[in-house]
Amino acid sequence: MLLDNKVVVVTGGSRGIGRAIALASAREGADVAINYWRDNDSAYGKASAVESIVGEIEALGRRAIAVEGNVAERETGIELIARTVEAFGRVDVLSSNAGICPFHAFLDMPASVYETTVAVNLNGAFYVAQAAANQMKAQGTGGAIVATSSISALVGGGMQTHYTPTKAGVHSLMQSCAIALGPYGIRCNSVMPGTIATDLNADDLADPGKRAYMEKRIPLGRLGAPDDVAQCVVFLASDRARYVTGASLLVDGGLFVNLQ
Ligand code: RM4
């Protein structure tokens, strides 16, 4: 068990990649604290998925709590860590995963779309990492932070001019946190998912032409699945990556390198 009796915090853990990370962590022996943002659930026109994920983790014989809050607000991270310690006594791993990507053209993008995307994806990642790292430092036994950056940290998207800078920022945040937190034995790394089929891009990929174009661009010939990313997060969170910090891991089926 790669995360045996560890306590793992996952932001954006009720759906998509975050849900897969929460389940994969539980399967590897962890107890899990899940952050979710009910407004975001409704933004996808779905009832909150958080109740089912807690039940699925408990069915694996592990403990789970769910804490609602928008990570863009600094207090959410502080409350999330406090509730986790209250429930499980400690925090060993943070999966800083919460993120949004409301595809939108650049020239007429409202300030609200840009500012909300930055607030959730970048500010949220900063605040939650800071809250988790302070708890890990106080515990004195190190820890691991794995942020969900993106292939979009490295390349652009014409409908993602608000989003790609935040993913580049998350990547850079982990590099700097690796330096700041190394003295406390806290490792900081990021995963860079490619095109993973989730709610985040369901509307975008509902266009058969767009989906076929992306699949054709990927050497492994398929879109990624959330668990493809979750397995890499578990590795970076585990002791198998004990000498890995400040690194990033592309999880993209070869998409990034495929020029021709
Ligand atoms: C990723 C990448 C994918 C897109 C998601 C929403 O960073 O750009 O292609 O589907 O974001």
Side-chain angles (χ1 to χ4, degrees), residues 135-158:
Q135 175 60 33
M136 291 171 179
K137 179 192 174 190
Q139 291 168 180
T141 53
I145 299 174
V146 185
T148 303
S149 175
S150 168
I151 188 173
S152 295
L154 309 174
V155 289

Side-chain angles (χ1 to χ4, degrees), residues 101 103 150-152 160 163 193-196 200-201 204-205 214:
C101 182
F103 286 80
S150 168
I151 188 173
S152 295
Q160 298 174 298
Y163 168 84
T195 302
I196 313 297
L200 208 61
N201 54 21
D204 181 53
L205 294 173
M214 294 308 298

Side-chain angles (χ1 to χ4, degrees), residues 61-235:
R62 304 309 309 186
R63 297 176 294 174
I65 61 168
V67 183
E68 204 275 338
N70 179 357
V71 294
E73 296 160 20
R74 186 165 180 268
E75 285 308 307
T76 295
I78 294 168
E79 168 72 9
L80 174 60
I81 297 305
R83 290 277 301 279
T84 303
V85 173
E86 180 186 347
F88 304 137
R90 56 183 298 105
V91 172
D92 297 299
V93 176
L94 167 66
S95 165
S96 176
N97 169 79
I100 61 173
C101 182
F103 286 80
H104 201 293
F106 174 60
L107 290 174
D108 62 349
M109 185 181 300
S112 61
V113 173
Y114 171 74
E115 289 168 356
T116 301
T117 302
V118 170
V120 172
N121 294 5
L122 183 56
N123 300 356
F126 182 95
Y127 293 144
V128 176
Q130 188 183 47
N134 274 310
Q135 175 60 33
M136 291 171 179
K137 179 192 174 190
Q139 291 168 180
T141 53
I145 299 174
V146 185
T148 303
S149 175
S150 168
I151 188 173
S152 295
L154 309 174
V155 289
M159 299 290 280
Q160 298 174 298
T161 53
H162 51 327
Y163 168 84
T164 62
T166 68
K167 291 304 183 177
V170 167
H171 167 55
S172 179
L173 173 66
M174 288 298 101
Q175 290 177 317
S176 293
C177 283
I179 301 163
L181 300 176
Y184 307 110
I186 301 167
R187 297 181 297 105
C188 304
N189 296 288
S190 65
V191 288
M192 294 181 162
T195 302
I196 313 297
T198 67
D199 292 329
L200 208 61
N201 54 21
D203 289 345
D204 181 53
L205 294 173
D207 171 354
K210 176 67 177 287
R211 187 181 185 101
Y213 165 75
M214 294 308 298
E215 287 172 342
K216 190 172 181 342
R217 290 261 341 250
I218 299 169
L220 290 185
R222 67 172 176 88
L223 299 181
D227 192 55
D228 293 329
V229 181
Q231 294 304 316
C232 296
V233 171
V234 166
F235 162 70

Side-chain angles (χ1 to χ4, degrees), residues 32-57:
V32 186
I34 289 159
N35 153 267
Y36 69 103
W37 179 23
R38 200 174 293 279
D39 291 0
N40 196 43
D41 287 334
S42 57
Y44 291 108
K46 304 213 171 169
S48 172
V50 71
E51 284 76 14
S52 61
I53 183 65
V54 169
E56 286 185 51
I57 291 171

